[in-house]
Amino acid sequence: MADSPNCDLKSLSPLQLFERVTEQGEKVRALKAGKAPKDEIDAAVRMLLSLKLSYKTATGQDYQAGLPPKDLVLINNGTAKEEDEDLVDPWNVQTSNAKGVDYDKLIVRFGSSKIDTDLINRIERATGKRPHHFLRRGIFFSHRDMDQILDAYENKKSFYLYTGRGPSSQAMHVGHLIPFLFTKWLQEVFDVPLVIQLTDDEKYLWKDMTIEKAYEYAKENAKDIIACGFDVNKTFIFSDLDYLGTSSGFYKNIVRVQKHVTFNQVKGIFGFTDSDCIGKISFPAIQAAPSFSSSFPQIFNGKENIQCLIPCAIDQDPYFRMTRDVAPRIGQPKPALLHSVFFPALQGAQTKMSASDPNSSIFLTDTPKQIKTKINKHAFSGGRDTIEEHRKYGGNCDVDVSIMYLTFFLEDDARLEQLKQAYTSGELLTGELKKVLIETMQPLIAAHQERRKQVTDEVVKQFMTPRKLAFEF
């Protein structure tokens, strides 16, 4: 972080100021621990105090370590006002905009960085592979410290991947595939280990289900994840209910995180209340722990300095903002992140998909007939009310769910662009566009179902057994 007091702090968002204060605090601690010259320490302390004052001016509250500000925007008189357009947290995604969440605003509010053309080109140079269409199309749109991951990779230093799934139901829908499809590509092009956390403990704590049912869902979801094509020699999948009792390294990291995060901080980050069970309050530390390589001594030979890259939807970012705040205080590298947009419900980007509503999405268990019926009957259209109006004015690709789904799953860039142009011009009707989506999704789901049939209980056991992977550390 630049130490110059002349930098324009007024241009920073409250969350960016919070992160500047946090980084400067880490610098002060490092200087003191390293017995740096007194004038250097004093200068760093003055900068820290200046940043804290700027933070209080912007938010109206004192800086508290590990407790980021709520989503605030400044209004003309300098007071703070809650932004009411989009609500994004690990359990809720709400927007009043038919186009979906405003991701540019979310980047500013969360203090992350946009994945721009320069970063995409650098990934291509580093891997020698064409960037995944999720990158090219902005589906993964935001990051934290991906440049550090590339620095390490270019200097022949390894890293590992970590992603996860909360097994809330037996059947997964196509939106659940997004992080796994992208993570599989990352693993292939970078050739690194991957750990996948199944948070069956979380679902037991949050949902009305038994522990046995949560564990059963974890095993079933593991079959769908394995069916994405992961390499058993390079991938470890684990259930929290299983692994926590067998790995002292994992549990030690959970306790380290728990010691450095207060109840007040998790209330501020996650919105917990005094009536929430203590299991919920302690859970964020369990999702944080896989960010540290010492949680997997069998994979990394006990090494603690291997950085982690986490591909996930951006609603999971609060967990890892907390993790990144704690990491330096427990002597661990901060995890890097790649954030994806949200997968829309069939009824439109304003509607949240629900496992309890079978018509809100296409499930991995759906038959070709069910897929066709769902798309024809429920996929929100950006078309006009009549054929005549549609031919004259064209369709709206920004709100049309068929276009949104094809952006995720139609890999041919030229074909996608041709469909968008034809729909916008009115040449292509809504029914014709939905037919293209049906013909795209039916073979994709059928192929997944065929691969899943090959995933036996024995294969699941192989993936979920703690073991050394095909890497040397």
Side-chain angles (χ1 to χ4, degrees):
M1 187 190 97
D3 234 8
S4 170
N6 298 321
C7 56
D8 186 10
L9 299 177
K10 292 181 181 179
S11 66
L12 300 179
S13 70
L15 187 55
Q16 288 171 323
L17 278 170
F18 174 85
E19 293 195 337
R20 291 284 295 273
V21 176
T22 301
E23 289 176 11
Q24 189 66 14
E26 292 168 6
K27 181 172 184 177
V28 170
R29 284 193 291 273
L31 288 172
K32 288 181 177 179
K35 301 190 185 315
K38 184 177 183 301
D39 58 345
E40 190 175 348
I41 293 174
D42 289 345
V45 170
R46 285 195 298 272
M47 184 61 183
L48 177 61
L49 294 175
S50 174
L51 285 165
K52 285 185 174 181
L53 180 60
S54 296
Y55 178 82
K56 185 170 184 177
T57 301
T59 65
Q61 53 191 268
D62 289 325
Y63 168 85
Q64 296 183 59
L67 186 57
K70 294 191 175 182
D71 298 333
L72 301 170
V73 292
L74 296 180
I75 55 179
N76 290 337
N77 63 3
T79 59
K81 162 184 179 294
E82 288 197 18
E83 182 162 305
D84 56 8
E85 291 179 358
D86 298 330
L87 170 63
V88 176
D89 65 32
W91 304 280
N92 301 285
V93 179
Q94 296 175 11
T95 178
S96 58
N97 192 331
K99 297 179 183 179
V101 171
D102 187 327
Y103 292 104
D104 288 333
K105 284 186 178 179
L106 208 55
I107 285 174
V108 174
R109 286 164 54 190
F110 279 18
S112 58
S113 301
K114 188 176 181 66
I115 296 178
D116 57 18
T117 304
D118 288 344
L119 184 62
I120 295 172
N121 290 341
R122 188 178 175 196
I123 292 172
E124 182 171 15
R125 289 194 303 271
T127 62
K129 304 290 184 181
R130 188 184 187 208
H132 195 282
H133 69 274
F134 287 175
L135 281 173
R136 302 195 309 270
R137 297 175 188 172
I139 290 170
F140 275 81
F141 71 101
S142 164
H143 76 99
R144 296 185 187 276
D145 292 345
M146 184 61 191
D147 49 342
Q148 288 186 13
I149 293 289
L150 292 172
D151 288 344
Y153 183 76
E154 289 164 355
N155 286 292
K156 310 300 181 187
K157 293 181 181 177
S158 189
F159 65 94
Y160 71 100
L161 293 161
Y162 158 38
T163 193
R165 157 81 181 137
S168 57
S169 61
Q170 184 168 355
M172 291 167 59
H173 58 63
V174 288
H176 293 138
L177 290 179
I178 303 307
F180 297 110
L181 294 175
F182 187 60
T183 299
K184 178 176 180 289
W185 179 82
L186 289 170
Q187 185 186 45
E188 288 173 350
V189 299
F190 285 106
D191 191 28
V192 291
L194 164 64
V195 297
I196 299 175
Q197 180 183 42
L198 300 174
T199 56
D200 40 10
D201 52 344
E202 175 206 14
K203 294 308 172 187
Y204 168 69
L205 292 168
W206 262 267
K207 301 285 185 179
D208 183 18
M209 67 172 70
T210 64
I211 276 189
E212 292 75 20
K213 182 60 69 175
Y215 184 64
E216 176 191 331
Y217 286 167
K219 290 291 187 73
E220 289 301 312
N221 285 189
K223 292 180 180 179
D224 278 309
I225 294 168
I226 292 166
C228 291
F230 290 106
D231 185 340
V232 69
N233 296 310
K234 299 180 180 181
T235 306
F236 173 47
I237 302 174
F238 64 98
S239 143
D240 285 342
L241 292 173
D242 258 350
Y243 189 56
L244 196 135
T246 63
S247 173
S248 62
F250 186 43
Y251 184 61
K252 285 174 183 176
N253 280 332
I254 291 170
V255 173
R256 289 185 182 110
V257 174
Q258 288 173 337
K259 182 172 182 176
H260 287 83
V261 182
T262 68
F263 178 43
N264 193 41
Q265 287 169 346
V266 292
K267 282 199 296 184
I269 297 169
F270 301 102
F272 297 144
T273 68
D274 292 345
S275 61
D276 280 312
C277 71
I278 60 174
K280 289 184 179 181
I281 294 156
S282 63
F283 173 75
I286 299 175
Q287 186 157 323
S291 305
F292 310 127
S293 59
S294 54
S295 293
F296 308 99
Q298 72 278 10
I299 298 174
F300 300 106
N301 198 26
K303 291 189 177 178
E304 299 187 358
N305 60 345
I306 301 166
Q307 193 172 13
C308 171
L309 173 62
I310 306 170
C312 62
I314 197 167
D315 61 336
Q316 297 300 301
D317 190 68
Y319 282 110
F320 301 113
R321 290 205 299 269
M322 180 200 78
T323 307
R324 284 167 58 84
D325 178 66
V326 170
R329 290 186 273 155
I330 62 174
Q332 300 283 359
K334 292 181 180 182
L337 288 101
L338 292 169
H339 300 126
S340 74
V341 301
F342 302 116
F343 191 81
L346 280 169
Q347 288 79 3
Q350 292 169 284
T351 308
K352 183 174 171 58
M353 285 179 293
S354 170
S356 61
D357 180 4
N359 294 321
S360 67
S361 189
I362 297 168
F363 284 77
L364 301 180
T365 52
D366 283 348
T367 65
K369 183 178 178 180
Q370 286 174 317
I371 294 168
K372 181 178 180 179
T373 300
K374 284 184 179 183
I375 292 172
N376 280 332
K377 188 174 181 179
H378 299 290
F380 185 80
S381 168
R384 304 292 174 173
D385 292 337
T386 67
I387 292 177
E388 292 74 17
E389 287 183 357
H390 188 87
R391 294 291 192 203
K392 184 175 181 180
Y393 300 110
N396 184 351
C397 290
D398 289 336
V399 301
D400 192 278
V401 165
S402 294
I403 288 291
M404 293 179 186
Y405 276 40
L406 287 167
T407 302
F408 279 90
F409 292 111
L410 182 62
E411 295 189 18
D412 187 331
D413 289 342
R415 174 67 170 146
L416 179 64
E417 188 57 33
Q418 183 266 326
L419 289 169
K420 286 182 177 179
Q421 290 178 4
Y423 193 60
T424 301
S425 70
E427 175 189 347
L428 188 70
L429 298 175
T430 295
E432 295 168 334
L433 179 62
K434 287 186 174 184
K435 184 173 183 291
V436 175
L437 178 59
I438 291 165
E439 291 171 350
T440 301
M441 298 307 299
Q442 284 177 333
L444 186 149
I445 299 300
H448 179 89
Q449 291 169 352
E450 197 57 40
R451 290 193 301 271
R452 193 185 192 279
K453 288 179 185 177
Q454 311 306 315
V455 182
T456 63
D457 290 341
E458 182 59 33
V459 171
V460 173
K461 184 179 179 181
Q462 290 174 10
F463 272 90
M464 297 185 72
T465 298
R467 65 203 185 282
K468 183 180 182 298
L469 299 180
F471 300 92
E472 296 298 331
F473 289 94

